[in-house]
Amino acid sequence: MRNAEHATSPANMLADHKGETVDFICEDCEILKRLKPAALLEEYGNQTMPSLPELVAKSLGCKRTENAFYDRCKMHFHFSPDEWAKRMGYIDPREQKRGEFRFSDLSRWHRLYVHCSCGRKNELDRERLEKSLGKEALISDAAGKLVCKKCGVKGSAKIIVRSPPRD
């Protein structure tokens, strides 16, 4: 006799939501709604999270939910500015001042430059450094492991994160 497997609910369901509220925003309609997960469960049942913005927009009377292509509803989940920046891969300027960046915090366009106390400056091979130290390593920790090719001193370097200029 085969072992019967229990059916599991798909990932990303409303019942699995851990936050205090679920926030929705539509810039076009100037709507910002904060709803409790319990109230959403009561009204809509255990829906998948991606289906919720459209359901909430319909309940608010948005006519754009009927349009599939042109001028359609743009309601989506709203996140705090910090959460949004984190999800979009942006670096918080306050973090940049503290120098507590990890390689995983950087976007692909960021460049790393090393400045030694002897005056030597050079661009670092980011991929090679990231591969040897790991994505979760602090960039400031990497500076302590570098040896200057000019003066031979280890650990006196400073790593600077820059974005290349736009064309």
Side-chain angles (χ1 to χ4, degrees):
M1 184 174 187
R2 285 188 308 186
N3 292 342
E5 292 184 24
H6 295 285
T8 58
S9 65
N12 213 5
M13 298 297 286
L14 178 59
D16 300 329
H17 183 68
K18 306 282 189 245
E20 293 178 20
T21 62
V22 181
D23 302 339
F24 300 94
I25 189 168
C26 179
E27 289 91 357
D28 291 349
C29 301
E30 298 179 357
I31 295 173
L32 177 61
K33 281 285 189 190
R34 283 198 144 155
L35 303 170
K36 302 262 184 205
L40 289 169
L41 273 169
E42 185 178 316
E43 187 169 345
Y44 304 112
N46 192 20
Q47 298 287 328
T48 60
M49 291 299 281
S51 67
L52 280 177
E54 185 178 351
L55 293 172
V56 170
K58 279 183 183 177
S59 71
L60 294 172
C62 180
K63 302 285 187 218
R64 293 178 175 178
T65 56
E66 299 164 7
N67 300 337
F69 299 104
Y70 177 74
D71 195 32
R72 64 184 196 192
C73 180
K74 294 183 182 116
M75 183 171 279
H76 57 88
F77 293 107
H78 178 66
F79 304 104
S80 69
D82 293 334
E83 179 67 19
W84 190 260
K86 180 181 167 188
R87 286 173 181 255
M88 297 303 287
Y90 297 125
I91 298 173
D92 185 2
R94 293 171 292 192
E95 291 290 323
Q96 193 171 11
K97 291 177 186 168
R98 282 189 260 148
E100 294 298 320
F101 288 123
R102 298 183 186 279
F103 286 102
S104 60
D105 295 333
L106 300 176
S107 296
R108 62 178 169 75
W109 59 79
H110 287 105
R111 301 284 184 255
L112 299 179
Y113 295 92
V114 62
H115 293 232
C116 183
S117 57
C118 72
R120 185 172 191 269
K121 299 175 186 177
N122 198 14
E123 183 174 358
L124 289 172
D125 184 358
R126 177 180 158 191
E127 287 81 21
R128 186 173 158 205
L129 197 59
E130 187 176 308
K131 186 177 179 181
S132 66
L133 298 173
K135 284 189 176 253
E136 293 305 314
L138 291 172
I139 293 173
S140 58
D141 291 346
K145 298 180 188 321
L146 298 174
V147 178
C148 180
K149 290 182 181 177
K150 182 177 176 185
C151 67
V153 176
K154 180 180 180 179
S156 67
K158 180 180 177 185
I159 295 178
I160 297 175
V161 178
R162 300 231 185 236
S163 296
R166 291 185 172 183
D167 294 334

